[in-house]
Amino acid sequence: MNQEFKKTTFRDDYTFYNSPESIRRFPFPFWEDKYMYSVNIEPHVKGPAGSVYEFPIDINEHYVSEMADRAIVLKEDPLRCQALPHMMLAQWDFLELLMTSMARDYPQWFSLTTEGDHWHWINKPLGIDQKFTFGDPSTLPQEPMEYIGRQCQGDFSIQDQRDGQLWMDAGIITTQADWSLDFDVGMNFMEWHGPVPLAHDMKVFDRALKFLLNLQLGQPVRRLNWTMTINPRLDTSPENFHKWGSDRTTVTPENVGDKVHLRVELQALFRLPRSNAILFSIRGYLIKLRELVTVPKWGRRLPRVLGSLPMELIDYKGITRYRDTTLEWLAKYDDGQPTSPGGGPD
Amino acid sequence: MLVDGIKSRPQYPGLTADAFAKVHVFAADGDGAQAVIDLFERQGRDINGRVIVVYADTAPGAPDYASRLEALPVELVHCMPTVATAITRLVGVLNVARMGTRIYASGTETMIGLTVQLAQELGMDPATVITEHRGSRARRVQCVHCKGMTENVTTNIVTCAHCGLSLLVRDHYSKRRAAFQGVCVDAEVRGEIPEITEIFK
């Protein structure tokens, strides 16, 4: 992806859109015509060139715009970035993983040179040139997690591992699907997943936790999650729910294609080397339904999935008010033909 | 819009004596005193070493819990007028606590929650606090929007004491905040508020 970075917005006038290439590489999350929770975890290995799986950290055409949006969120609400005191080593682990990945996989934009603990980081798209001492927070303008988190797409939380549990003890979370880092910080895996319906009874979290506690260094894993968002709004936080919640009432048969977005999270988990913590990256992708239906397979499949969702999930994902209008609009794209297995376009 | 039975909701299994503790610190409010008295009746011989009680005397109807607590084989009962003053006193007690100290909390969810929060802030494992719920189910609610705390919430929906939004009180609970989460209930359509009922009595 050697494109220009777009200058679009995720608030106010909402000028966000995807290029045709960006649509083709969208990680469509439904591999069959229905959806239910599962521990759909797979190795986070290198995928096809140009795909969102090509590199561990995916940087795309929205990079500069997303970082500008993150800066606005952090300016208005610094509590979106928090780290408990014992997480400093994990913060450095996190910074190292991001800088080395980004510099290795996108040398045209990022460079990292190291001489012992003396590091030199250059971020060309954001115009940053920083020399610092690895391990010394006073040599960076922010703590390491915030510093590099402001320069990488996706939300990040860092989990400490102790007592056979994972504890969400740090995070930089500005594009979340309706959960609060400030409220959840310090919770364990079961606690922060508390509000998710159905999945607890299915033992999804027990199995996922057992799996993650054994996550190995150098063998990251990934899964997709999804929800729907009205307007291409990244900051769908509970903190601002009273500001964006009413958007859900603005969907009409005329504006479905432009207003309703499928929001997919490519979630990846990495074991960190020094702290033994686990990094959870939540890389969000937005696509307008008008863009989505340009892929015929997705246009067929999405109405089938939305039409067969359990009521609890519809409520939990906040789709209730506009599901019917959306389904009516999508109906014309489902010609009844069978769809091929897997999520990718035909 | 929101579901019941959330897993972060604390469980209060009831007080049991730690026979190996050298110091027993009881934090209680209101009818929580009765849980302490019951424990001594049930397991008094397992409670060895020093016993210190910090009690918020908030029980309605003045059942004279304070003197009943003082009648127990305890070193000292700090009898305080409110939960807030009791927690302040508890800070002082725990600041000089040593290895082998066991903390018990009984009474309202707020009293238990603030005790667990304090234990955590002092570097103890919050899971080691032994808890028993007694009395009111009123909740301490944090507004997710302005972060303000609203105390003694007994209804499913409450007006935030700080920013004035109507909040739906969820079961989602944070030990660090010692509070349940409140989320704007009419964010989608302002003024569209479900029936308000008293459910946390």
Side-chain angles (χ1 to χ4, degrees):
Chain A
M1 295 200 66
N2 197 12
Q3 76 289 306
E4 291 292 307
F5 294 111
K6 287 200 164 56
K7 289 273 173 61
T8 60
T9 57
F10 301 90
R11 57 182 67 223
D12 305 324
D13 56 351
Y14 293 114
T15 59
F16 167 87
Y17 70 98
N18 287 296
S19 68
E21 301 76 44
S22 185
I23 293 172
R24 289 287 297 181
R25 73 196 295 276
F26 186 81
F28 189 72
F30 306 114
W31 64 82
E32 55 184 355
D33 290 353
K34 59 180 195 274
Y35 172 79
M36 193 52 206
Y37 291 123
S38 58
V39 187
N40 51 330
I41 299 176
E42 61 179 8
H44 190 31
V45 293
K46 195 175 180 68
S51 77
V52 299
Y53 304 122
E54 183 176 7
F55 302 120
I57 301 293
D58 182 45
I59 303 296
N60 73 358
E61 65 186 14
H62 305 300
Y63 174 68
V64 172
S65 302
E66 287 190 23
M67 293 303 96
D69 196 75
R70 165 156 298 159
I72 296 171
V73 173
L74 290 174
K75 192 173 173 186
E76 293 178 350
D77 182 3
L79 295 177
R80 303 295 188 86
C81 179
Q82 297 190 40
L84 301 186
H86 60 272
M87 297 302 283
M88 186 51 81
L89 189 60
Q91 289 197 42
W92 286 109
D93 276 336
F94 167 63
L95 173 140
E96 177 190 53
L97 175 67
L98 260 53
M99 284 189 177
T100 53
S101 301
M102 292 163 77
R104 178 192 64 222
D105 299 330
Y106 303 97
Q108 68 276 39
W109 299 325
F110 310 104
S111 93
L112 177 68
T113 45
T114 62
E115 206 180 298
D117 289 340
H118 297 284
W119 289 32
H120 184 194
W121 167 250
I122 298 172
N123 178 334
K124 288 182 198 159
L126 297 185
I128 292 169
D129 186 316
Q130 179 79 42
K131 288 178 178 156
F132 63 99
T133 306
F134 187 86
D136 181 355
S138 70
T139 58
L140 284 174
Q142 295 102 15
E143 288 194 354
M145 178 183 71
E146 179 175 353
Y147 178 75
I148 196 62
R150 283 174 175 269
Q151 299 180 50
C152 188
Q153 286 170 280
D155 282 351
F156 300 92
S157 70
I158 308 179
Q159 281 63 232
D160 192 27
Q161 180 164 333
R162 59 181 190 273
D163 300 335
Q165 259 292 358
L166 295 174
W167 304 85
M168 191 192 291
D169 287 343
I172 177 166
I173 308 286
T174 63
T175 70
Q176 68 266 49
D178 207 5
W179 64 279
S180 168
L181 173 74
D182 179 55
F183 195 75
D184 288 2
V185 69
M187 286 191 191
N188 70 36
F189 190 80
M190 294 302 166
E191 290 170 342
W192 85 68
H193 283 116
V196 182
L198 303 178
H200 286 276
D201 293 335
M202 296 166 63
K203 302 281 179 205
V204 166
F205 295 123
D206 300 84
R207 280 179 282 139
L209 175 61
K210 192 173 282 185
F211 181 87
L212 293 176
L213 290 173
N214 290 304
L215 187 66
Q216 301 296 305
L217 186 64
Q219 295 174 31
V221 296
R222 68 179 173 230
R223 68 183 288 262
L224 295 178
N225 196 13
W226 70 279
T227 188
M228 299 188 89
T229 302
I230 303 308
N231 296 325
R233 184 179 177 90
L234 287 176
D235 176 21
T236 49
S237 60
E239 276 81 0
N240 284 328
F241 181 47
H242 58 306
K243 296 174 187 165
W244 59 264
S246 62
D247 292 354
R248 289 172 175 169
T249 64
T250 61
V251 178
T252 65
E254 292 72 37
N255 67 21
V256 168
D258 295 306
K259 258 202 185 290
V260 181
H261 291 70
L262 181 62
R263 185 199 145 95
V264 172
E265 293 176 354
L266 168 53
Q267 304 177 340
L269 295 127
F270 305 80
R271 176 70 69 188
L272 298 176
R274 299 172 186 79
S275 58
N276 199 43
I278 289 182
L279 171 68
F280 185 42
S281 65
I282 312 161
R283 176 69 166 87
Y285 298 85
L286 286 167
I287 190 170
K288 296 174 195 302
L289 291 198
R290 187 180 302 289
E291 295 169 344
L292 184 137
V293 298
T294 61
V295 175
K297 172 178 165 180
W298 297 347
R300 286 187 192 106
R301 180 167 288 170
L302 186 61
R304 298 176 193 180
V305 171
L306 284 185
S308 61
L309 268 189
M311 208 53 223
E312 292 93 333
L313 283 187
I314 293 167
D315 276 351
Y316 175 64
K317 291 181 185 285
I319 302 169
T320 317
R321 275 185 205 272
Y322 56 88
R323 187 186 72 143
D324 290 348
T325 309
T326 303
L327 274 176
E328 281 161 29
W329 185 85
L330 281 169
K332 57 183 169 290
Y333 298 98
D334 184 4
D335 56 10
Q337 294 295 308
T339 54
S340 61
D346 286 326
Chain B
M1 171 188 159
L2 293 162
V3 294
D4 292 326
I6 286 177
K7 304 288 177 189
S8 56
R9 177 128 168 56
Q11 305 286 317
Y12 309 109
L15 297 189
T16 53
D18 177 356
F20 300 101
K22 296 192 181 78
V23 181
H24 306 260
V25 175
F26 288 88
D29 73 337
D31 293 327
Q34 189 63 51
V36 178
I37 294 163
D38 291 348
L39 176 70
F40 271 84
E41 276 184 20
R42 214 167 47 237
Q43 273 189 285
R45 61 182 168 185
D46 290 334
I47 303 174
N48 304 301
R50 300 172 58 200
V51 178
I52 296 164
V53 180
V54 178
Y55 178 59
D57 193 3
T58 56
D64 200 21
Y65 280 131
S67 53
R68 292 174 63 200
L69 288 169
E70 280 164 3
L72 298 172
V74 302
E75 181 178 309
L76 187 61
V77 176
H78 297 272
C79 187
M80 311 302 291
T82 59
V83 168
T85 52
I87 293 297
T88 303
R89 180 58 55 94
L90 189 61
V91 173
V93 169
L94 293 180
N95 267 336
V96 294
R98 301 218 173 154
M99 291 286 285
T101 299
R102 170 66 69 179
I103 304 172
Y104 306 78
S106 59
T108 62
E109 291 199 87
T110 298
M111 184 71 199
I112 297 171
L114 290 172
T115 303
V116 170
Q117 178 189 45
L118 178 59
Q120 183 163 30
E121 284 170 5
L122 294 174
M124 299 175 217
D125 180 351
T128 62
V129 179
I130 300 174
T131 60
E132 178 164 337
H133 178 260
R134 292 274 179 123
S136 163
R137 298 204 161 269
R139 292 182 168 186
R140 186 166 188 258
V141 175
Q142 187 188 38
C143 173
V144 76
H145 311 290
C146 77
K147 308 295 180 186
M149 295 288 181
T150 302
E151 305 283 347
N152 292 315
V153 177
T154 59
T155 48
N156 59 332
I157 292 160
V158 66
T159 302
C160 175
H162 304 266
C163 70
L165 287 173
S166 295
L167 304 177
L168 179 69
V169 180
R170 306 177 73 191
D171 268 346
H172 198 29
Y173 182 85
S174 165
K175 287 194 189 88
R176 288 179 58 79
R177 307 278 172 242
F180 291 86
Q181 189 176 56
V183 181
C184 182
V185 72
D186 58 345
E188 296 190 358
V189 180
R190 199 50 56 93
E192 193 176 283
I193 295 174
E195 189 186 349
I196 299 175
T197 52
E198 190 167 46
I199 53 174
F200 314 122
K201 289 180 191 169

